[in-house]
């Protein structure tokens, strides 16, 4: 199964194809240590957070770790007291390796802090957490050869701050300084999104600062500034403008080839990574082939995203297994007292711990990425222990969500499809459910930004019937994340009901072609 090939000619399958990962993996930060590449990304209010991915060929990636289990325990991050962190949580990270220690730094407007996580083993941990104020927006962590530690950060006006040796905050006795007054300038004067997404690199004795900016009426654009010293002065130029592929930085292969790793806003599936070749001319990195993103690259072919980035799960665990495979993330901080993979061996049990107003307010929704060009997820649910007012099932999760599953009302269970495109979610179809086990499926069509979601049910896991209507998916800034498949159970009347998910299975095939 080759998810990234899509409808391109078969001959292309011998080479890497853009997008490298057709799934929501934005705000990339990447390093190579020896012959191994590591990459961090943004998953915001999903937990565990700041995923770490590993690759040997720069194309095929596998999740190996997260920097944290939860970022902090605030009401917004916990979905408590009517608050949420949709659109918030941790944003762009910076990944570094220095003198035997791995560093992942990030920041969040949700708490107003900067966070730095350190470990001696990036794949196995454990991670040590440091946090401090102020929040340094879209920063780049840099260890200079003279022993000083810096963060470059900001939007439009790029700042530089020296950090304390123990990374506990800004170095006492120093104050942040303006590094570049207007980092957007190379892209012109009519700027909508001021330059941000700073990533700093040192190549052949010179410093290169990558930023993204967005001219009004134009597209996401890469600006690069160059200097002989980290403190400047910097000279800048517009470096790349094609398909809106922007924000990222530089990586080299062991053979000495160079690439820029960038990403593209691609509708409801999210922000998806592209690589572009880099050549060096007069001390500047020149991105792309004739200034364009190539469809193919002289790198090994893309293989399936399953099970490296997403995975099926039978919920069967051996003694030493982790409770959940790495591709799973909770929507906001989980309530660990109310889910289990051991209470009913071979099943994921989600028990309601409180009454909520909607599926978006409910804790313990367990998610994985959707992926393109097409993807499907199915699950089997035992609903015998639901309580009146409970809703459980499979969701395509974003602000404009849709779900298929079971509602219990007046002592009766109903199979329903709910469309959440409007402010008030609408139940589009219901039917009486006989028995306590049902199979449900959600499909996403992301081809050419079609962004359609379809929902199905089955009583025997063989014959599937469409239910409800088509969800018109939309990437919305209030949530600021690509659509997720999610398993949920929430109570609208009385806490304490539970459902058991027998398995979760994914595919890159959908019913509608």
């Amino acid at each position: 199964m080759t998810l990234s090939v899509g409808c391109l000619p078969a001959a292309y399958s011998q080479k890497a194809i853009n997008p490298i990962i057709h799934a929501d993996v934005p705000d990339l930060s990447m390093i190579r240590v020896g012959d191994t590449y590591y990459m961090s990304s943004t998953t915001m209010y999903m937990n565990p957070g700041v995923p770490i991915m590993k690759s040997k060929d720069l194309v095929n990636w596998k999740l190996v770790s997260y920097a944290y289990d939860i970022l902090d325990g605030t009401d917004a991050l916990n979905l408590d007291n009517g608050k949420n962190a949709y659109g918030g949580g941790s944003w762009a990270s910076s990944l570094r390796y220095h003198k035997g220690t791995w560093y992942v730094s990030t920041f969040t407007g949700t708490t107003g802090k900067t966070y730095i996580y350190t470990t001696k083993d990036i794949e196995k941990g454990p991670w040590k957490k440091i946090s401090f104020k102020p929040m340094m927006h879209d920063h780049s962590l840099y260890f200079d050869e003279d022993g000083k530690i810096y963060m470059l950060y900001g939007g439009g006006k790029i700042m530089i701050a020296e950090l304390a040796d123990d990374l506990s905050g800004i170095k006492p006795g120093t104050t942040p300084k303006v590094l570049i007054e207007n980092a957007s300038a190379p892209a012109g004067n009519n700027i909508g999104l001021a330059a941000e997404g700073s990533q700093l690199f040192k190549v052949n004795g010179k410093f290169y600062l990558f930023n993204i900016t967005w001219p009004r009426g134009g597209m996401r654009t890469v600006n690069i500034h160059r200097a002989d010293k980290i403190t400047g002065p910097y000279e800048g130029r517009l470096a790349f403008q094609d398909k809106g592929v922007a924000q990222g930085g530089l990586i080299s292969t062991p053979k000495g080839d160079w690439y820029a790793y960038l990403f593209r806003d691609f509708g409801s599936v999210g922000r998806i990574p592209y690589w572009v070749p880099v050549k060096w001319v007069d001390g500047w990195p020149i991105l792309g082939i004739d200034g364009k993103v190539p469809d193919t690259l002289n790198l090994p072919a893309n293989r399936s995203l399953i099970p490296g980035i997403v995975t099926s799960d039978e919920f069967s665990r051996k003694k030493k297994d982790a409770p959940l495979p790495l591709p799973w993330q909770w929507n906001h901080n989980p309530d660990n007292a109310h889910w289990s993979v051991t209470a009913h061996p071979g099943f994921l049990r989600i028990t309601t711990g409180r009454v909520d107003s909607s599926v978006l307010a409910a804790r313990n929704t367990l998610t994985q990425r959707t992926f393109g060009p097409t993807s499907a997820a199915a699950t089997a649910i035992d609903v015998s222990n639901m309580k009146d007012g409970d809703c459980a099932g499979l969701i395509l999760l974003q602000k404009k969500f849709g779900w298929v599953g079971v509602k219990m009302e007046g002592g009766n269970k109903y199979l329903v499809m709910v469309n959440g495109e409007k402010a008030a979610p609408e139940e589009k179809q219901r039917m009486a459910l006989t028995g306590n086990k049902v199979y449900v499926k959600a499909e996403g069509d992301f081809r050419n930004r079609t962004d359609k979601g379809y929902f199905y049910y089955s009583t025997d896991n063989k014959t599937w019937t469409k239910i409800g209507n088509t969800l018109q998916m939309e990437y919305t800034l209030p949530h600021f994340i690509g659509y997720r498949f999610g398993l949920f159970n929430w109570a609208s009347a009385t806490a304490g009901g539970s459902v058991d998910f027998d398995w979760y299975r994914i595919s890159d095939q959908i019913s509608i072609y």
Side-chain angles (χ1 to χ4, degrees), residues 161-195:
E162 186 177 351
L163 299 186
D165 292 343
D166 62 0
L167 302 175
S168 58
I170 295 172
K171 186 174 183 178
T174 70
T175 57
K177 298 178 181 178
V178 176
L179 190 68
I180 303 173
E181 183 67 38
N182 181 10
S184 309
N189 297 319
N190 189 26
I191 298 298
L193 174 68

Side-chain angles (χ1 to χ4, degrees), residues 41-80:
S41 180
T42 294
T43 51
M44 306 180 67
Y45 44 88
M46 296 291 173
N47 289 285
V50 189
I52 309 297
M53 288 156 277
K54 172 185 177 182
S55 176
K56 285 288 190 178
D57 60 12
L58 201 55
V59 176
N60 298 287
W61 295 85
K62 180 181 180 180
L63 279 161
V64 293
S65 183
Y66 290 93
Y68 61 78
D69 288 327
I70 65 167
L71 183 69
D72 259 319
T74 67
D75 280 357
L77 293 168
N78 285 335
L79 283 173
D80 275 343

Side-chain angles (χ1 to χ4, degrees), residues 88-119:
S90 63
W91 284 12
S93 58
S94 181
L95 175 62
R96 294 286 184 256
Y97 179 72
H98 180 67
K99 294 185 177 179
T101 299
W102 301 86
Y103 300 81
V104 174
S105 57
T106 185
F107 71 100
T108 176
T110 308
T111 63
K113 293 181 181 179
T114 298
Y115 296 79
I116 301 176
Y117 299 89
T118 64
T119 184

Side-chain angles (χ1 to χ4, degrees), residues 211-264:
N211 289 105
I212 178 187
T213 190
W214 197 336
R216 290 187 179 90
M219 68 180 70
R220 299 168 77 252
T221 298
V222 180
N223 283 353
I224 299 177
H225 285 80
R226 181 180 74 173
D228 293 323
K229 297 180 180 179
I230 191 171
T231 53
Y234 282 82
E235 57 176 326
R237 59 167 57 180
L238 190 156
F240 194 66
Q241 237 179 15
D242 184 42
K243 297 181 179 178
V245 173
Q247 190 166 340
L250 288 169
I251 195 74
S252 65
T253 70
K255 293 181 180 179
D257 297 324
W258 287 84
Y259 292 89
Y261 56 87
L262 307 165
F263 69 85
R264 181 185 187 187

Side-chain angles (χ1 to χ4, degrees), residues 31 41-42 57 84 92 206 242 332 338 363 372 376 451:
I31 58 175
S41 180
T42 294
D57 60 12
N84 67 71
K206 290 186 180 291
D242 184 42
H332 289 66
H338 289 93
R363 296 187 77 175
D451 293 347

